[in-house]
Amino acid sequence: MAHLAPINTKSSSISTSTSTSQAAIFSPSVARAAASTAKDWSYVDSWLRSKYAGSSINRGRPPAFERTPETLKALLALAAANEAADEDREQLARIEEAALAEVQAAEREQDARRRKVEAEAEKKQEQPVDGELLAADLLAAIETNLSKDGKAALDAMASMAVDLGVAYPTPETLGAKFVELQGRALELEDSIERVNLLQRYLDRESARMESFLEELHHGEAYQPAPDLAKQNLELQRKIKGMTAKIPELKSQVISLEKTVGLPRLTVDDVRKEEEAYLELLARKKDLDAQVRAFAGLPADIEAARMELEALRADLRDATEQRDENFERLVERESPVKTRRRP
């Protein structure tokens, strides 16, 4: 921090810097920030000394001109990452040590059991059978007598089982897992191809939008007219003129209302007038339909009446002709009934 760094100035500026430092230190927020920064630098310095204990350059501390907030932030992140890596490495070492101890204990137990079995065999003059020892000896014999390719295949099978997380591997299980992994790999490849296709589409669309924006910025079709400023001035002049006429027009409307007495319409009045207008339209349509029924008649009333009577006579004749034809049809289609003689 600037207020904690050593100040080497002339005697004329000592009082000013001292008062500024005192004001900064006595501020609670600045004091807390300074204390936190000092604590962080102390932690970083101790970590650097532990890593560079044999260094003779500045005792493993960064130079004064490098003690900045950015350097402190970077060193804190580096120290945290280094400690996390150290913890992971120590945990892995402890696990390996525990596993080695377990294996060594199992080997010692197996050796002790083997010696015990051999001792009992010497006493009883017979060879007892221990299943675990027999299995261990058999596996050891198989592993010893394996060829180079066999050992490589067994190691590959074991590493594959560990990678796949199979506790009791068999060739069938490992094959099924391998096929499943291949299927997932193909699915991922398809997904990657779809993502690449989408990315290419987005790139094309982005390039098209960029070209469109470039055309908007520099295209002649989208450039303002050369006389746009003149048109704007003319429109502003017209607007000002119309604005100046608005009070005069309002006064004319008010005087016209006073002299003529214009009715004050409301929304309900307009709605009622609209309903009456729609009713008149419907009635007009009905009357037009009735008038179209008399289309073709002469304009003279007497002539129209005579033509109407003639049409009525034709209608009566057509009706009588229809009735006669219907009677003949009935008589022709009806069966003939023979009369009985008395």
Side-chain angles (χ1 to χ4, degrees):
M1 299 297 290
H3 60 279
L4 294 177
I7 304 173
N8 296 323
T9 57
K10 296 180 180 180
S11 58
S12 59
S13 61
I14 292 177
S15 60
T16 304
S17 61
T18 304
S19 62
T20 304
S21 300
Q22 289 177 355
I25 291 174
F26 288 144
S27 176
S29 59
V30 175
R32 284 194 298 269
S36 176
T37 304
K39 184 178 179 182
D40 292 340
W41 273 117
S42 176
Y43 167 72
V44 169
D45 291 338
S46 63
W47 177 71
L48 289 175
R49 282 195 298 271
S50 65
K51 297 299 178 183
Y52 302 97
S55 177
S56 60
I57 302 175
N58 204 16
R59 296 181 180 179
R61 299 175 60 187
F65 65 87
E66 288 289 346
R67 299 177 74 85
T68 60
E70 291 80 8
T71 306
L72 178 61
K73 184 178 179 181
L75 289 175
L76 286 174
L78 181 61
N82 184 263
E83 288 185 354
D86 291 342
E87 290 179 359
D88 293 341
R89 188 168 54 254
E90 291 176 358
Q91 186 176 5
L92 181 61
R94 287 194 299 269
I95 293 173
E96 290 179 351
E97 184 179 356
L100 181 60
E102 186 177 353
V103 171
Q104 290 176 353
E107 289 180 353
R108 288 194 298 269
E109 183 181 355
Q110 187 176 0
D111 292 338
R113 185 184 299 175
R114 189 185 301 278
R115 288 193 296 267
K116 183 178 179 181
V117 170
E118 290 177 354
E120 291 179 355
E122 290 178 358
K123 290 180 181 180
K124 297 181 179 180
Q125 298 296 326
E126 61 181 7
Q127 188 68 26
V129 178
D130 192 340
E132 295 183 0
L133 292 177
L134 181 60
D137 294 339
L138 183 60
L139 290 175
I142 292 174
E143 186 175 0
T144 303
N145 295 321
L146 279 176
S147 62
K148 186 177 180 180
D149 295 337
K151 289 182 179 180
L154 185 60
D155 292 338
M157 185 176 176
S159 61
M160 184 184 294
V162 172
D163 293 335
L164 295 177
V166 180
Y168 300 99
T170 59
E172 293 80 5
T173 306
L174 294 178
K177 287 287 185 180
F178 188 72
V179 171
E180 182 181 355
L181 287 177
Q182 281 187 337
R184 292 179 60 187
L186 291 176
E187 290 179 359
L188 291 176
E189 289 179 359
D190 293 339
S191 300
I192 292 172
E193 184 63 27
R194 288 195 294 270
V195 170
N196 292 332
L197 180 62
L198 179 60
Q199 184 177 3
R200 290 194 294 270
Y201 172 75
L202 292 177
D203 292 338
R204 289 196 302 269
E205 291 297 322
S206 177
R208 190 173 65 83
M209 292 302 296
E210 289 179 357
S211 63
F212 180 68
L213 289 175
E214 185 69 20
E215 185 181 358
L216 285 178
H217 289 155
H218 304 288
E220 296 180 357
Y222 301 98
Q223 296 298 323
D227 57 344
L228 183 61
K230 183 178 179 181
Q231 294 178 6
N232 289 335
L233 292 175
E234 186 68 23
L235 288 175
Q236 289 179 2
R237 190 180 299 111
K238 290 181 180 180
I239 290 171
K240 289 181 180 178
M242 296 300 294
T243 305
K245 291 181 180 180
I246 288 176
E248 182 181 357
L249 294 175
K250 286 184 177 179
S251 61
Q252 291 180 4
V253 170
I254 292 173
S255 61
L256 184 62
E257 289 180 353
K258 290 181 179 179
T259 55
V260 179
L262 295 177
R264 295 183 178 275
L265 295 176
T266 61
V267 177
D268 293 334
D269 296 336
V270 174
R271 182 176 57 78
K272 291 178 181 178
E273 292 292 335
E274 183 181 5
E275 291 177 355
Y277 175 70
L278 293 177
E279 290 179 359
L280 288 175
L281 283 179
R283 186 176 179 185
K284 178 180 176 300
K285 289 180 180 179
D286 295 338
L287 293 175
D288 290 339
Q290 294 178 9
V291 169
R292 279 194 298 272
F294 297 98
L297 294 176
D300 188 13
I301 297 176
E302 294 297 332
R305 184 177 290 109
M306 291 175 63
E307 187 172 353
L308 181 61
E309 290 296 334
L311 292 173
R312 285 177 179 174
D314 295 338
L315 178 62
R316 284 194 295 270
D317 294 339
T319 303
E320 292 176 355
Q321 184 69 28
R322 183 199 63 187
D323 294 340
E324 291 178 358
N325 292 333
F326 181 74
E327 288 177 356
R328 290 196 191 97
L329 180 63
V330 171
E331 289 177 356
R332 186 179 61 189
E333 296 296 332
S334 296
V336 178
K337 295 181 179 180
T338 57
R339 297 180 179 181
R340 295 179 179 178
R341 295 181 179 181

